[in-house]
Amino acid sequence: DPDNFAMLIKFLRLRMKLHRGGGGSSVPERHRPKPTYEFCSMLEYYNLMQGVYGHNWVGAKDTFTCEEVAYGIVSLCSQVSPSNNDDSTPNLAAVVYPHRSNDVGSPELKLLEFTVEFEKGATGIVGWIHCSDKGVETRISNGIKGSQANSIFLSIAERKVFGPRSNRSGAPNSILGENLRIDNSETATKVICRRSGGTQHNTQRKHSVELEDGTNVETFLNDDPRPDNVDRLLPFILFSGKVTVSDLKYAIDEL
């Protein structure tokens, strides 16, 4: 479609202009093309999704840095102080990938998959969390402990995967996997997070956390995409140290 190519060229010219002007090459969200199935299909065919939409991790100001180290790959580094000056219990930077756009009327571009590698010595939590999606203003707590409602995530330090919390009062943590083969003091830890299945009328989707050794832990979570529902299941990372995020895959079929 010539209109899609014209939209891409306009975006690339804007990105080049910003780069030459010393403002970096990141185009503000309101100036990016609205994601449509046809446009994103074209971008995927030419491997340009990362060039247009890229990584969109957001979190509290001055708690982390995000640097693109290669095409489609970013390095996140925490910039928070240790808890109570005790290096054994570090504070964690908290980042989340919102699906909602702050550009009113723009479709939601959701992630299907992302890969996170915690470098040797880094620790934290990674997976899918149920929270209020406020676009770039989305924030989550960096003090998550134990199971959360309608969520699944891996705790590096505890070597456990926590599943969705029961609504029953006093119910114990839902542990879907434990004693996992993780030794972050000796080696890096690579984690792949995926979501699949479900439709507009069937909101139960499979969400999973997989380790590099093939260990895969999954569960079904409720992912309601209705526009009047502000809650979403979002990719999130809590971390201390340095993590690398790559291999984003987008749910263009849901546009």
Side-chain angles (χ1 to χ4, degrees):
D1 187 333
D3 290 341
N4 286 329
F5 274 103
M7 192 158 50
L8 175 60
I9 291 170
K10 180 180 179 181
F11 169 82
L12 293 175
R13 284 174 174 167
L14 177 58
R15 180 170 174 167
M16 184 180 296
K17 181 180 178 180
L18 289 172
H19 182 69
R20 288 178 174 175
S25 57
S26 178
V27 177
E29 183 183 45
R30 65 183 182 277
H31 294 306
R32 296 177 190 172
K34 283 184 170 57
T36 64
Y37 177 78
E38 293 78 12
F39 183 64
C40 291
S41 294
M42 180 191 74
L43 294 182
E44 282 206 334
Y45 181 82
Y46 291 107
N47 191 29
L48 291 173
M49 282 292 287
Q50 293 298 312
V52 176
Y53 297 108
H55 287 257
N56 190 32
W57 301 98
V58 299
K61 184 179 179 181
D62 298 330
T63 60
F64 73 101
T65 60
C66 179
E67 178 186 4
E68 185 176 30
V69 294
Y71 182 71
I73 303 174
V74 298
S75 172
L76 303 176
C77 293
S78 63
Q79 292 188 316
V80 290
S81 302
S83 299
N84 301 319
N85 298 317
D86 180 359
D87 289 333
S88 66
T89 56
N91 270 326
L92 304 176
V95 299
V96 63
Y97 196 104
H99 287 161
R100 283 176 172 253
S101 170
N102 286 74
D103 184 8
V104 178
S106 184
E108 295 182 23
L109 186 57
K110 303 176 181 179
L111 288 188
L112 283 177
E113 181 178 320
F114 63 104
T115 299
V116 179
E117 182 169 312
F118 292 76
E119 73 170 11
K120 176 183 174 181
T123 189
I125 296 172
V126 59
W128 303 90
I129 191 158
H130 186 254
C131 65
S132 180
D133 189 343
K134 301 177 181 177
V136 296
E137 301 300 323
T138 306
R139 299 290 183 269
I140 58 173
S141 169
N142 69 344
I144 293 173
K145 295 183 184 299
S147 297
Q148 304 293 305
N150 198 39
S151 305
I152 180 174
F153 52 84
L154 166 70
S155 169
I156 301 293
E158 297 178 84
R159 299 190 297 135
K160 295 178 181 179
V161 173
F162 291 90
R165 183 184 63 211
S166 170
N167 291 327
R168 290 186 297 109
S169 177
N173 284 320
S174 170
I175 300 175
L176 304 181
E178 57 186 332
N179 299 321
L180 302 176
R181 287 182 285 180
I182 296 173
D183 188 354
N184 62 313
S185 65
E186 295 295 329
T187 61
T189 306
K190 191 172 186 178
V191 186
I192 304 170
C193 299
R194 297 187 178 95
R195 65 184 278 270
S196 61
T199 65
Q200 184 175 1
H201 304 290
N202 178 13
T203 60
Q204 291 293 312
R205 299 180 188 273
K206 184 187 294 183
H207 290 72
S208 65
V209 174
E210 181 179 338
L211 295 176
E212 194 171 17
D213 65 5
T215 301
N216 185 61
V217 183
E218 59 189 35
T219 190
F220 281 91
L221 302 173
N222 184 46
D223 188 12
D224 187 348
R226 290 177 302 172
D228 59 337
N229 177 31
V230 298
D231 291 341
R232 292 288 185 270
L233 267 165
L234 301 180
F236 83 107
I237 313 167
L238 270 56
F239 63 101
S240 173
K242 177 181 176 181
V243 300
T244 301
V245 190
S246 61
D247 297 328
L248 300 191
K249 292 183 173 58
Y250 299 89
I252 65 171
D253 288 344
E254 296 176 33
L255 290 171

